[in-house]
């Protein structure tokens, strides 16, 4: 069996394992294996193929790692609109209780509302900024 065929089989196996694991790193290493297969097609020796696989695969992983480190961190789950679709919704607070909470009807249920830390309770329209348990944390709009 030709070296290029072996590299293509290894790359395919890495892709299959990638699909089963759900991470991106095996896919990046599979690019290194594919690069080694191409090097084999071009007539490179076994040592050169190994070097190409290592340089391309590890290089791809390092580039991916650098890109991920530059990305801003995801918002906490309680205040992340991608996780909780209540974030950003508008509710109407008619009255506040003496303890600094209010009760509103939202999505067909009674919810306890609290203002965001550092804000005074005020009646009117509020935007949901966080969900903490069964409480909606709101900002005045």
């Amino acid at each position: 069996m030709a070296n290029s065929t072996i590299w293509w089989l290894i790359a395919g196996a890495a892709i299959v394992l990638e699909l089963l694991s759900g991470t991106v790193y095996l896919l990046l290493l599979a690019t290194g294996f594919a690069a080694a297969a191409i090097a084999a097609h071009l007539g490179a020796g076994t040592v050169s193929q190994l070097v190409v696989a290592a340089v391309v695969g590890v290089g791809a992983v390092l580039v991916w790692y650098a890109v991920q480190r530059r990305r801003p961190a995801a918002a906490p789950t309680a205040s992340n609109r991608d996780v909780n679709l209540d974030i950003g919704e508008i509710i109407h607070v008619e009255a506040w209780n003496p303890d600094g909470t209010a009760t509103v009807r939202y999505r067909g249920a009674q919810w306890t509302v609290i203002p965001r830390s550092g804000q005074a309770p005020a009646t009117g329209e509020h935007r949901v900024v966080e969900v903490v348990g069964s409480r909606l944390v709101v900002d005045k709009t």
Side-chain angles (χ1 to χ4, degrees):
M1 190 179 309
N3 281 352
S4 61
T5 304
I6 294 171
W7 284 114
W8 286 121
L9 290 173
I10 293 171
I15 292 170
V16 168
L17 290 173
E18 166 64 35
L19 292 172
L20 295 173
S21 72
T23 65
V24 73
Y25 297 104
L26 286 172
L27 186 62
L28 297 172
L29 292 176
T31 60
F33 301 144
I38 292 170
H41 282 297
L42 295 175
T46 304
V47 173
S48 298
Q49 295 168 26
L50 288 169
V51 169
V52 167
V55 168
V56 173
V58 172
V61 169
L62 292 176
V63 168
W64 178 258
Y65 182 75
V67 167
Q68 291 297 356
R69 292 216 28 155
R70 288 190 182 141
R71 264 191 195 161
T77 303
S79 60
N80 189 342
R81 173 89 174 149
D82 294 335
V83 176
N84 191 333
L85 296 180
D86 294 322
I87 306 302
E89 294 297 314
I90 303 294
I91 60 170
H92 183 76
V93 177
E94 294 182 15
W96 290 89
N97 300 325
D99 66 353
T101 65
T103 303
V104 297
R105 188 131 179 99
Y106 172 65
R107 288 193 298 130
Q110 295 289 350
W111 288 76
T112 301
V113 176
I114 57 174
R116 190 190 295 216
S117 179
Q119 294 192 2
T123 59
E125 299 288 318
H126 290 75
R127 182 175 313 280
V128 177
V129 294
E130 188 174 0
V131 179
V132 179
S134 62
R135 292 180 170 217
L136 301 174
V137 180
V138 296
D139 276 343
K140 180 81 171 131
T141 55

